[in-house]
Amino acid sequence: QVELVQSGGGSVEAGGSLRLSCAASGYNASNYCMGWFRQAPGKEREGVGSINSLDFTYYSGPVKGRFTISKDDAKNTVNLQMTSLKPEDTGMYYCAAKMTWACEETWQTWTSYNYWGQGAQVTVSS
């Protein structure tokens, strides 16, 4: 069965960097859409970015230019590199997979994803 296991995250000061990884098993993650979401306390889950089977990436406005999604096909892993972190980036981060090759218009719709990682906490202090 499909399983997503996250690693990374932690605490950092504003301006710092962190990296999250999402290791997939049970399917070839390179051939499908993978998204990243985050949820801060008291707020709704929001899409951070996604990558499709052609390695096209999509990012939300608040993280564009600071976050980068990439694949490591050898490890069947998708990574989220976060730089220039801000306190407002604090939250629980999740990777999610949908069984379509494209992400497109629904990439920010969390209900369109089929499988989820366990989450990783990111805390950015000012």
Side-chain angles (χ1 to χ4, degrees), residues 29-30 50-58 69-71 73 101:
S30 181
S50 67
I51 185 166
N52 70 11
S53 63
L54 299 179
D55 290 352
F56 291 162
T57 52
Y58 307 82
I69 298 173
S70 62
K71 294 178 187 175
D73 292 342
W101 70 267

Side-chain angles (χ1 to χ4, degrees), residues 2-4 24-34 52-53 71-78 97-101:
V2 174
E3 187 176 15
L4 303 177
S25 60
Y27 84 116
N28 187 342
S30 181
N31 293 339
Y32 297 93
C33 172
M34 180 77 79
N52 70 11
S53 63
K71 294 178 187 175
D72 184 337
D73 292 342
K75 297 180 179 179
N76 204 24
T77 295
V78 178
K98 61 165 78 178
M99 298 294 106
T100 59
W101 70 267

Side-chain angles (χ1 to χ4, degrees), residues 10-31:
S11 297
V12 67
E13 292 185 351
S17 299
L18 286 172
R19 176 183 166 109
L20 300 176
S21 293
C22 180
S25 60
Y27 84 116
N28 187 342
S30 181
N31 293 339

Side-chain angles (χ1 to χ4, degrees), residues 34-109:
M34 180 77 79
W36 286 93
F37 290 78
R38 67 185 181 187
Q39 189 165 18
K43 294 189 176 181
E44 293 188 359
R45 190 171 302 187
E46 64 172 343
V48 172
S50 67
I51 185 166
N52 70 11
S53 63
L54 299 179
D55 290 352
F56 291 162
T57 52
Y58 307 82
Y59 299 98
S60 66
V63 309
K64 200 168 188 177
R66 300 187 296 121
F67 289 13
T68 303
I69 298 173
S70 62
K71 294 178 187 175
D72 184 337
D73 292 342
K75 297 180 179 179
N76 204 24
T77 295
V78 178
N79 301 308
L80 176 66
Q81 180 68 45
M82 303 178 288
T83 63
S84 300
L85 282 161
K86 305 175 181 181
E88 51 264 42
D89 293 319
T90 294
M92 186 69 75
Y93 282 68
Y94 300 91
C95 61
K98 61 165 78 178
M99 298 294 106
T100 59
W101 70 267
C103 298
E104 296 183 340
E105 295 86 8
T106 59
W107 78 263
Q108 289 181 298
T109 305

